Protein backbone atom coordinates (compact mmCIF):
# COMPACT_ATOMS: atom_id res chain seq x y z
CA UNK A 1 0.00 0.00 0.00
CA UNK A 2 1.30 3.45 -0.93
CA UNK A 3 1.89 6.05 1.75
CA UNK A 4 -0.28 8.61 -0.06
CA UNK A 5 -2.96 7.89 -2.66
CA UNK A 6 -4.81 10.68 -4.48
CA UNK A 7 -7.63 9.51 -6.77
CA UNK A 8 -9.74 11.62 -9.14
CA UNK A 9 -9.35 14.76 -7.01
CA UNK A 10 -11.59 17.72 -7.93
CA UNK A 11 -11.15 21.05 -6.12
CA UNK A 12 -13.05 24.20 -7.03
CA UNK A 13 -13.25 27.82 -5.90
CA UNK A 14 -16.75 29.26 -5.88
CA UNK A 15 -16.59 32.96 -6.78
CA UNK A 16 -19.05 35.63 -7.89
CA UNK A 17 -17.96 34.96 -11.48
CA UNK A 18 -18.63 31.23 -11.21
CA UNK A 19 -16.94 27.96 -10.32
CA UNK A 20 -13.18 27.90 -10.92
CA UNK A 21 -12.17 24.27 -11.42
CA UNK A 22 -8.61 24.56 -10.13
CA UNK A 23 -8.01 20.79 -9.81
CA UNK A 24 -9.87 18.59 -12.23
CA UNK A 25 -9.41 14.83 -11.82
CA UNK A 26 -5.82 14.51 -10.57
CA UNK A 27 -4.60 11.05 -9.51
CA UNK A 28 -1.20 9.88 -8.24
CA UNK A 29 0.42 7.88 -5.46
CA UNK A 30 3.53 8.35 -3.35
CA UNK A 31 5.59 5.57 -1.76
CA UNK A 32 7.70 5.87 1.37
CA UNK A 33 11.13 7.36 0.82
CA UNK A 34 10.33 8.50 -2.74
CA UNK A 35 10.34 11.98 -4.29
CA UNK A 36 7.41 12.96 -6.50
CA UNK A 37 7.70 16.04 -8.70
CA UNK A 38 4.62 18.02 -9.79
CA UNK A 39 5.49 20.39 -12.63
CA UNK A 40 3.59 22.82 -14.82
CA UNK A 41 3.27 26.50 -15.54
CA UNK A 42 1.64 29.02 -13.20
CA UNK A 43 -2.07 28.36 -12.75
CA UNK A 44 -1.88 24.66 -13.60
CA UNK A 45 -3.16 23.58 -10.17
CA UNK A 46 0.08 22.39 -8.55
CA UNK A 47 -0.20 24.36 -5.30
CA UNK A 48 -3.96 23.86 -5.01
CA UNK A 49 -3.37 20.11 -5.19
CA UNK A 50 -0.97 20.40 -2.23
CA UNK A 51 -3.34 22.64 -0.28
CA UNK A 52 -6.14 20.14 -0.93
CA UNK A 53 -4.03 17.36 0.60
CA UNK A 54 -3.35 19.55 3.65
CA UNK A 55 -6.93 20.96 3.52
CA UNK A 56 -5.76 24.53 3.98
CA UNK A 57 -7.81 25.99 1.13
CA UNK A 58 -9.14 29.55 1.07
CA UNK A 59 -12.71 30.01 2.38
CA UNK A 60 -14.12 29.94 -1.16
CA UNK A 61 -12.33 26.67 -1.98
CA UNK A 62 -13.76 23.20 -1.51
CA UNK A 63 -12.87 19.61 -2.40
CA UNK A 64 -15.81 18.69 -4.64
CA UNK A 65 -15.03 15.00 -5.06
CA UNK A 66 -12.24 12.47 -5.03
CA UNK A 67 -10.19 10.59 -2.47
CA UNK A 68 -7.04 11.38 -0.49
CA UNK A 69 -5.73 8.47 1.58
CA UNK A 70 -2.78 8.75 3.94
CA UNK A 71 -1.49 5.32 4.94
CA UNK A 72 -4.96 3.92 4.26
CA UNK A 73 -6.84 6.65 6.17
CA UNK A 74 -9.33 8.71 4.17
CA UNK A 75 -8.75 12.45 4.67
CA UNK A 76 -11.54 13.88 2.53
CA UNK A 77 -14.39 14.59 4.91
CA UNK A 78 -12.39 13.45 7.94
CA UNK A 79 -12.93 16.71 9.80
CA UNK A 80 -10.74 19.43 11.26
CA UNK A 81 -9.83 17.46 14.39
CA UNK A 82 -8.26 14.69 12.31
CA UNK A 83 -6.49 17.17 10.05
CA UNK A 84 -4.94 18.99 13.02
CA UNK A 85 -3.27 15.72 13.94
CA UNK A 86 -2.15 15.14 10.34
CA UNK A 87 -0.69 18.60 9.72
CA UNK A 88 2.81 18.89 11.11
CA UNK A 89 2.88 15.38 12.55
CA UNK A 90 2.37 13.35 9.38
CA UNK A 91 2.45 15.89 6.54
CA UNK A 92 4.35 19.18 6.60
CA UNK A 93 4.65 21.89 3.98
CA UNK A 94 7.30 24.43 3.01
CA UNK A 95 5.69 27.45 1.38
CA UNK A 96 7.03 29.39 -1.57
CA UNK A 97 7.98 32.61 0.22
CA UNK A 98 9.42 32.17 3.73
CA UNK A 99 9.13 35.88 4.54
CA UNK A 100 5.34 35.76 4.28
CA UNK A 101 5.20 32.40 6.09
CA UNK A 102 7.08 33.59 9.17
CA UNK A 103 5.43 36.07 11.54
CA UNK A 104 7.58 39.25 11.57
CA UNK A 105 6.45 40.18 15.11
CA UNK A 106 7.73 37.00 16.81
CA UNK A 107 11.25 35.63 17.19
CA UNK A 108 12.38 32.56 15.30
CA UNK A 109 12.60 30.64 18.56
CA UNK A 110 9.04 31.49 19.56
CA UNK A 111 7.66 30.25 16.24
CA UNK A 112 9.69 27.04 16.26
CA UNK A 113 8.75 26.23 19.85
CA UNK A 114 5.07 26.92 19.17
CA UNK A 115 5.04 24.42 16.30
CA UNK A 116 6.81 21.75 18.37
CA UNK A 117 4.64 22.11 21.51
CA UNK A 118 1.46 22.15 19.40
CA UNK A 119 2.16 18.77 17.78
CA UNK A 120 4.15 16.96 20.48
CA UNK A 121 4.08 16.42 24.25
CA UNK A 122 7.41 18.18 24.81
CA UNK A 123 7.77 20.82 27.50
CA UNK A 124 8.98 24.33 26.59
CA UNK A 125 12.53 23.47 27.68
CA UNK A 126 12.52 20.29 25.56
CA UNK A 127 10.99 22.18 22.66
CA UNK A 128 13.79 24.79 22.91
CA UNK A 129 16.42 22.06 22.74
CA UNK A 130 14.63 20.44 19.78
CA UNK A 131 14.42 23.78 17.95
CA UNK A 132 18.14 24.42 18.43
CA UNK A 133 18.86 20.88 17.25
CA UNK A 134 16.80 21.42 14.08
CA UNK A 135 18.50 24.74 13.29
CA UNK A 136 21.84 23.03 13.63
CA UNK A 137 20.61 20.19 11.40
CA UNK A 138 19.82 22.63 8.57
CA UNK A 139 23.29 24.16 8.87
CA UNK A 140 22.42 27.46 10.55
CA UNK A 141 25.38 28.73 12.54
CA UNK A 142 25.00 29.96 16.13
CA UNK A 143 21.49 28.49 16.51
CA UNK A 144 21.08 29.70 20.11
CA UNK A 145 21.62 33.28 18.92
CA UNK A 146 19.30 32.87 15.92
CA UNK A 147 16.50 31.67 18.20
CA UNK A 148 16.31 35.17 19.71
CA UNK A 149 16.30 37.02 16.38
CA UNK A 150 13.42 38.08 14.15
CA UNK A 151 12.79 36.93 10.52
CA UNK A 152 13.95 40.24 8.99
CA UNK A 153 17.39 39.72 10.54
CA UNK A 154 18.03 36.70 8.30
CA UNK A 155 18.75 36.36 4.59
CA UNK A 156 16.34 34.65 2.19
CA UNK A 157 18.34 31.44 2.23
CA UNK A 158 18.46 31.36 6.03
CA UNK A 159 14.72 31.99 6.28
CA UNK A 160 14.09 29.07 3.95
CA UNK A 161 16.33 26.87 6.10
CA UNK A 162 14.31 27.94 9.15
CA UNK A 163 11.10 26.95 7.37
CA UNK A 164 12.61 23.54 6.57
CA UNK A 165 13.62 23.15 10.22
CA UNK A 166 10.08 24.03 11.34
CA UNK A 167 8.52 21.60 8.85
CA UNK A 168 10.76 18.72 9.91
CA UNK A 169 10.74 19.35 13.66
CA UNK A 170 8.01 16.75 14.24
CA UNK A 171 9.53 14.22 11.79
CA UNK A 172 6.62 13.98 9.32
CA UNK A 173 6.15 11.08 6.91
CA UNK A 174 5.64 13.47 3.96
CA UNK A 175 7.19 16.85 3.22
CA UNK A 176 5.46 19.03 0.62
CA UNK A 177 7.85 21.61 -0.84
CA UNK A 178 5.88 24.27 -2.74
CA UNK A 179 8.50 25.87 -4.99
CA UNK A 180 10.96 26.24 -2.09
CA UNK A 181 13.74 27.73 -4.23
CA UNK A 182 11.80 30.24 -6.37
CA UNK A 183 12.89 33.37 -4.51
CA UNK A 184 16.52 32.28 -4.11
CA UNK A 185 19.55 32.78 -6.32
CA UNK A 186 21.12 29.81 -8.10
CA UNK A 187 23.88 29.20 -5.52
CA UNK A 188 21.51 29.21 -2.53
CA UNK A 189 19.02 27.14 -4.52
CA UNK A 190 21.62 24.41 -5.01
CA UNK A 191 22.41 24.44 -1.29
CA UNK A 192 18.73 24.13 -0.31
CA UNK A 193 18.17 21.23 -2.72
CA UNK A 194 21.29 19.46 -1.46
CA UNK A 195 20.08 19.97 2.12
CA UNK A 196 16.65 18.53 1.32
CA UNK A 197 18.18 15.47 -0.32
CA UNK A 198 20.44 14.91 2.67
CA UNK A 199 17.59 15.24 5.17
CA UNK A 200 15.38 12.94 3.12
CA UNK A 201 18.03 10.22 3.18
CA UNK A 202 18.64 10.65 6.90
CA UNK A 203 14.97 10.78 7.95
CA UNK A 204 13.50 8.43 5.33
CA UNK A 205 10.57 10.69 4.52
CA UNK A 206 8.74 11.07 1.21
CA UNK A 207 8.76 14.42 -0.61
CA UNK A 208 6.34 16.11 -2.99
CA UNK A 209 8.34 18.71 -4.91
CA UNK A 210 6.17 21.34 -6.59
CA UNK A 211 8.06 23.41 -9.14
CA UNK A 212 8.13 24.84 -12.65
CA UNK A 213 11.89 24.21 -12.92
CA UNK A 214 12.56 20.98 -14.81
CA UNK A 215 16.22 21.13 -13.77
CA UNK A 216 15.17 20.78 -10.11
CA UNK A 217 12.90 17.87 -11.04
CA UNK A 218 15.66 16.05 -12.94
CA UNK A 219 18.01 16.44 -9.99
CA UNK A 220 15.68 15.25 -7.22
CA UNK A 221 12.61 13.33 -8.34
CA UNK A 222 11.93 9.63 -8.83
CA UNK A 223 8.53 10.17 -10.47
CA UNK A 224 6.92 13.16 -12.20
CA UNK A 225 3.38 14.41 -12.73
CA UNK A 226 2.98 17.05 -15.47
CA UNK A 227 -0.09 19.24 -14.88
CA UNK A 228 -1.98 21.67 -17.07
CA UNK A 229 -5.33 23.40 -16.45
CA UNK A 230 -5.96 21.47 -13.25
CA UNK A 231 -5.48 17.98 -14.68
CA UNK A 232 -2.48 15.79 -15.35
CA UNK A 233 -1.18 15.45 -18.89
CA UNK A 234 1.45 12.84 -18.21
CA UNK A 235 2.96 10.92 -15.31
CA UNK A 236 5.75 8.41 -15.02
CA UNK A 237 9.31 7.89 -13.87
CA UNK A 238 11.73 10.79 -14.32
CA UNK A 239 13.65 8.84 -16.95
CA UNK A 240 10.49 8.14 -18.96
CA UNK A 241 9.29 11.75 -18.83
CA UNK A 242 12.64 13.22 -19.89
CA UNK A 243 13.70 10.66 -22.49
CA UNK A 244 10.33 9.47 -23.78
CA UNK A 245 7.78 12.33 -23.42
CA UNK A 246 4.43 11.28 -24.87
CA UNK A 247 2.35 14.44 -24.43
CA UNK A 248 2.72 17.49 -26.65
CA UNK A 249 2.67 19.84 -23.63
CA UNK A 250 5.53 17.95 -21.96
CA UNK A 251 7.51 18.12 -25.19
CA UNK A 252 6.90 21.87 -25.31
CA UNK A 253 8.21 22.29 -21.76
CA UNK A 254 11.37 20.37 -22.63
CA UNK A 255 11.94 22.38 -25.82
CA UNK A 256 11.76 25.64 -23.87
CA UNK A 257 14.75 24.74 -21.65
CA UNK A 258 17.99 26.57 -22.58
CA UNK A 259 20.92 24.19 -22.95
CA UNK A 260 24.59 24.41 -23.85
CA UNK A 261 23.88 23.04 -27.31
CA UNK A 262 21.24 25.72 -27.99
CA UNK A 263 23.45 28.74 -27.23
CA UNK A 264 22.86 31.52 -29.74
CA UNK A 265 19.59 29.96 -30.92
CA UNK A 266 16.10 31.25 -30.31
CA UNK A 267 14.17 29.27 -27.68
CA UNK A 268 10.89 27.64 -28.66
CA UNK A 269 8.23 28.80 -26.19
CA UNK A 270 4.78 27.28 -25.89
CA UNK A 271 2.63 29.72 -27.84
CA UNK A 272 -0.66 31.13 -26.60
CA UNK A 273 -1.94 31.69 -23.08
CA UNK A 274 -3.40 29.37 -20.42
CA UNK A 275 -7.11 28.65 -20.72
CA UNK A 276 -9.81 30.18 -18.54
CA UNK A 277 -10.60 27.75 -15.70
CA UNK A 278 -14.08 29.27 -15.48
CA UNK A 279 -14.82 27.96 -18.96
CA UNK A 280 -12.95 24.71 -19.55
CA UNK A 281 -13.15 23.40 -23.14
CA UNK A 282 -14.91 20.14 -23.93
CA UNK A 283 -11.79 18.76 -25.59
CA UNK A 284 -8.12 18.61 -24.61
CA UNK A 285 -7.22 21.79 -22.67
CA UNK A 286 -3.85 21.96 -24.44
CA UNK A 287 -5.40 21.88 -27.93
CA UNK A 288 -5.58 25.70 -28.46
CA UNK A 289 -1.80 25.90 -27.89
CA UNK A 290 -0.77 22.64 -29.59
CA UNK A 291 0.71 22.59 -33.11
CA UNK A 292 -0.23 18.91 -33.49
CA UNK A 293 -3.90 19.39 -32.52
CA UNK A 294 -6.43 17.30 -34.45
CA UNK A 295 -10.19 17.72 -34.78
CA UNK A 296 -10.70 15.03 -32.15
CA UNK A 297 -8.52 17.03 -29.70
CA UNK A 298 -10.78 20.06 -29.97
CA UNK A 299 -14.05 18.22 -29.42
CA UNK A 300 -13.18 15.43 -26.98
CA UNK A 301 -10.76 15.14 -24.06
CA UNK A 302 -8.31 12.21 -24.35
CA UNK A 303 -8.35 9.44 -21.81
CA UNK A 304 -5.35 8.11 -19.91
CA UNK A 305 -3.28 5.60 -21.86
CA UNK A 306 -0.59 3.22 -20.65
CA UNK A 307 2.61 3.89 -22.58
CA UNK A 308 4.28 1.18 -20.51
CA UNK A 309 4.17 -0.09 -16.93
CA UNK A 310 5.80 3.11 -15.60
CA UNK A 311 4.30 5.75 -17.87
CA UNK A 312 0.82 7.18 -18.58
CA UNK A 313 -0.22 10.02 -20.87
CA UNK A 314 -3.48 11.62 -22.00
CA UNK A 315 -2.90 12.59 -25.62
CA UNK A 316 -4.75 11.61 -28.80
CA UNK A 317 -1.44 11.53 -30.72
CA UNK A 318 -0.50 8.34 -28.85
CA UNK A 319 -3.76 6.68 -29.89
CA UNK A 320 -3.15 7.78 -33.47
CA UNK A 321 0.37 6.32 -33.44
CA UNK A 322 -0.97 2.96 -32.27
CA UNK A 323 -3.72 2.98 -34.87
CA UNK A 324 -1.43 3.90 -37.77
CA UNK A 325 1.87 2.30 -36.86
CA UNK A 326 1.48 0.13 -33.75
CA UNK A 327 4.45 1.97 -32.29
CA UNK A 328 3.61 2.21 -28.57
CA UNK A 329 1.96 -0.80 -26.93
CA UNK A 330 -0.41 -3.67 -27.60
CA UNK A 331 -4.04 -2.75 -28.12
CA UNK A 332 -5.02 -4.27 -24.78
CA UNK A 333 -3.02 -1.52 -23.00
CA UNK A 334 -5.38 1.17 -24.23
CA UNK A 335 -7.72 2.30 -21.47
CA UNK A 336 -11.42 3.06 -21.59
CA UNK A 337 -12.72 4.03 -25.02
CA UNK A 338 -9.33 4.87 -26.53
CA UNK A 339 -9.04 1.67 -28.59
CA UNK A 340 -12.50 1.96 -30.12
CA UNK A 341 -11.93 5.60 -31.01
CA UNK A 342 -8.47 5.21 -32.52
CA UNK A 343 -9.88 5.47 -36.03
CA UNK A 344 -11.54 8.80 -35.25
CA UNK A 345 -8.29 10.07 -33.74
CA UNK A 346 -6.57 9.38 -37.05
CA UNK A 347 -8.22 12.36 -38.72
CA UNK A 348 -5.97 14.80 -40.57
CA UNK A 349 -4.10 17.17 -38.23
CA UNK A 350 -5.50 20.69 -38.06
CA UNK A 351 -2.12 22.42 -37.88
CA UNK A 352 0.30 20.04 -39.62
CA UNK A 353 0.96 18.64 -43.08
CA UNK A 354 -0.04 15.15 -44.24
CA UNK A 355 3.51 13.80 -44.04
CA UNK A 356 4.08 14.83 -40.41
CA UNK A 357 3.31 11.45 -38.85
CA UNK A 358 5.35 9.58 -41.48
CA UNK A 359 8.29 11.90 -40.76
CA UNK A 360 7.85 11.31 -37.04
CA UNK A 361 8.00 7.52 -37.43
CA UNK A 362 10.94 7.62 -39.83
CA UNK A 363 12.88 9.94 -37.53
CA UNK A 364 12.09 7.83 -34.47
CA UNK A 365 13.31 4.64 -36.20
CA UNK A 366 16.55 6.34 -37.25
CA UNK A 367 17.09 7.67 -33.73
CA UNK A 368 16.42 4.24 -32.25
CA UNK A 369 18.88 2.58 -34.65
CA UNK A 370 21.50 5.21 -33.83
CA UNK A 371 20.99 4.70 -30.09
CA UNK A 372 21.30 0.91 -30.49
CA UNK A 373 24.60 1.27 -32.37
CA UNK A 374 25.87 3.61 -29.65
CA UNK A 375 25.30 0.98 -26.98
CA UNK A 376 21.74 1.37 -25.69
CA UNK A 377 19.75 4.06 -24.01
CA UNK A 378 21.33 6.55 -21.68
CA UNK A 379 20.76 6.49 -17.94
CA UNK A 380 19.31 9.43 -16.08
CA UNK A 381 22.17 9.84 -13.62
CA UNK A 382 24.93 10.04 -16.23
CA UNK A 383 23.87 13.30 -17.90
CA UNK A 384 23.51 16.90 -16.72
CA UNK A 385 20.08 17.74 -15.35
CA UNK A 386 19.00 19.89 -18.30
CA UNK A 387 20.59 17.89 -21.11
CA UNK A 388 17.51 15.72 -21.73
CA UNK A 389 15.71 18.82 -22.98
CA UNK A 390 18.33 19.23 -25.68
CA UNK A 391 17.97 15.59 -26.70
CA UNK A 392 14.25 15.96 -27.09
CA UNK A 393 14.77 19.12 -29.16
CA UNK A 394 17.14 17.34 -31.56
CA UNK A 395 14.70 14.48 -31.98
CA UNK A 396 11.95 17.01 -32.68
CA UNK A 397 14.04 18.63 -35.37
CA UNK A 398 14.82 15.34 -37.07
CA UNK A 399 11.55 13.55 -36.72
CA UNK A 400 8.89 16.22 -36.27
CA UNK A 401 7.56 14.90 -32.96
CA UNK A 402 5.49 18.03 -32.45
CA UNK A 403 4.56 18.65 -36.04
Amino acid sequence: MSLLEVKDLHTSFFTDAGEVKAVNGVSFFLDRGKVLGIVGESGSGKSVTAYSIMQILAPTGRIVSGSIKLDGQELVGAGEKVMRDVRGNKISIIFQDPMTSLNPTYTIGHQLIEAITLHTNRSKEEAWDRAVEMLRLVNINEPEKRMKQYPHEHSGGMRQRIMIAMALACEPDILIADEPTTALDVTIQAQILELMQKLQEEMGMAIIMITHDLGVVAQMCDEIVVMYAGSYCERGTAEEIFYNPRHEYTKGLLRSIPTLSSMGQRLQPITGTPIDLLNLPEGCPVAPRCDAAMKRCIHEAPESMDINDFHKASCWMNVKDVFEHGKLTDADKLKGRSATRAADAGAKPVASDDGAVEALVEGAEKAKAKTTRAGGTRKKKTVPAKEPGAKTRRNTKKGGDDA
Side-chain angles (χ1 to χ4, degrees):
M1 181 174 62
S2 298
L3 177 60
L4 179 68
E5 294 182 14
V6 177
K7 292 184 179 179
D8 197 27
L9 179 64
H10 290 75
T11 300
S12 296
F13 292 89
F14 295 88
T15 67
D16 294 337
E19 180 184 357
V20 179
K21 298 179 180 179
V23 178
N24 192 23
V26 170
S27 300
F28 60 84
F29 62 88
L30 177 65
D31 292 327
R32 296 181 186 275
K34 296 294 185 179
V35 182
L36 172 71
I38 302 180
V39 300
E41 61 190 81
S42 298
S44 60
K46 307 184 300 296
S47 295
V48 177
T49 300
Y51 299 164
S52 298
I53 294 172
M54 298 285 289
Q55 296 190 31
I56 51 174
L57 297 166
T60 56
R62 187 171 79 241
I63 297 176
V64 178
S65 63
S67 172
I68 302 172
K69 289 185 178 180
L70 175 64
D71 213 7
Q73 178 185 12
E74 180 61 62
L75 299 184
V76 176
E80 184 60 24
K81 184 177 180 181
V82 173
M83 290 309 302
R84 280 200 198 101
D85 183 60
V86 169
R87 299 186 198 113
N89 276 332
K90 299 178 181 178
I91 306 177
S92 287
I93 187 168
I94 304 171
F95 293 101
Q96 186 169 341
D97 186 357
M99 192 60 191
T100 58
S101 302
L102 292 168
N103 192 321
T105 64
Y106 289 103
T107 63
I108 297 301
H110 177 93
Q111 297 180 66
L112 282 168
I113 290 172
E114 180 184 37
I116 295 170
T117 54
L118 181 64
H119 295 290
T120 69
N121 295 322
R122 289 184 171 94
S123 65
K124 285 190 175 182
E125 292 75 15
E126 292 172 332
W128 173 277
D129 294 337
R130 176 61 174 170
V132 171
E133 178 188 354
M134 292 307 300
L135 291 179
R136 189 174 289 114
L137 185 64
V138 296
N139 299 328
I140 290 182
N141 62 341
E142 301 181 285
E144 292 84 358
K145 177 182 176 181
R146 305 299 179 188
M147 289 279 286
K148 300 175 184 179
Q149 294 179 334
Y150 290 86
H152 71 270
E153 298 180 77
H154 301 80
S155 66
M158 290 185 70
R159 286 195 294 266
Q160 196 61 282
R161 289 172 187 268
I162 291 167
M163 287 301 300
I164 294 174
M166 186 180 297
L168 300 182
C170 299
E171 301 184 13
D173 296 322
I174 300 174
L175 174 66
I176 300 176
D178 186 10
E179 303 200 33
T181 60
T182 298
L184 307 177
D185 61 53
V186 176
T187 304
I188 303 302
Q189 173 180 300
Q191 293 175 3
I192 294 297
L193 293 177
E194 183 180 356
L195 173 63
M196 292 181 64
Q197 286 179 307
K198 176 187 173 184
L199 294 175
Q200 191 234 354
E201 293 173 0
E202 291 179 357
M203 304 178 73
M205 62 185 173
I207 295 178
I208 298 178
M209 176 67 72
I210 299 172
T211 183
H212 60 268
D213 190 336
L214 290 173
V216 172
V217 169
Q219 181 179 344
M220 286 198 65
C221 298
D222 301 301
E223 297 183 3
I224 299 172
V225 174
V226 181
M227 289 188 65
Y228 182 79
S231 58
Y232 83 84
C233 302
E234 189 167 7
R235 58 188 170 117
T237 62
E239 186 170 354
E240 280 288 328
I241 297 298
F242 277 96
Y243 294 123
N244 184 31
R246 301 307 309 183
H247 196 287
E248 299 304 308
Y249 179 67
T250 308
K251 295 173 186 177
L253 290 177
L254 293 172
R255 284 198 307 271
S256 65
I257 301 174
T259 63
L260 292 175
S261 60
S262 64
M263 289 183 65
Q265 301 178 23
R266 185 181 294 274
L267 293 177
Q268 298 183 30
I270 300 175
T271 58
T273 58
I275 62 172
D276 182 4
L277 295 179
L278 280 168
N279 299 291
L280 290 173
E282 60 179 348
C284 175
V286 186
R289 308 175 68 183
C290 179
D291 292 336
M294 302 177 293
K295 293 179 181 178
R296 172 65 68 181
C297 304
I298 297 172
H299 298 297
E300 186 172 355
E303 298 186 13
S304 179
M305 173 179 175
D306 287 343
I307 307 303
N308 55 48
D309 293 339
F310 312 102
H311 194 176
K312 296 177 182 290
S314 302
C315 183
W316 283 115
M317 287 300 292
N318 295 322
V319 182
K320 182 176 180 179
D321 283 349
V322 173
F323 175 75
E324 294 187 348
H325 308 290
K327 295 294 292 182
L328 296 179
T329 57
D330 296 330
D332 59 4
K333 285 200 172 185
L334 297 177
K335 283 193 170 182
R337 298 169 292 175
S338 297
T340 59
R341 290 178 177 172
D344 292 333
K348 288 185 179 181
V350 173
S352 61
D353 58 78
D354 293 338
V357 176
E358 288 75 8
L360 182 152
V361 175
E362 182 181 356
E365 289 175 347
K366 288 181 179 179
K368 183 177 180 181
K370 184 176 180 181
T371 302
T372 303
R373 290 195 300 270
T377 56
R378 294 182 294 176
K379 301 297 182 181
K380 173 188 171 187
K381 299 295 184 180
T382 60
V383 297
K386 295 187 178 180
E387 186 61 26
K391 181 177 185 293
T392 302
R393 190 175 186 274
R394 289 195 296 271
N395 284 348
T396 302
K397 186 176 180 180
K398 290 181 181 180
D401 239 3
D402 286 329

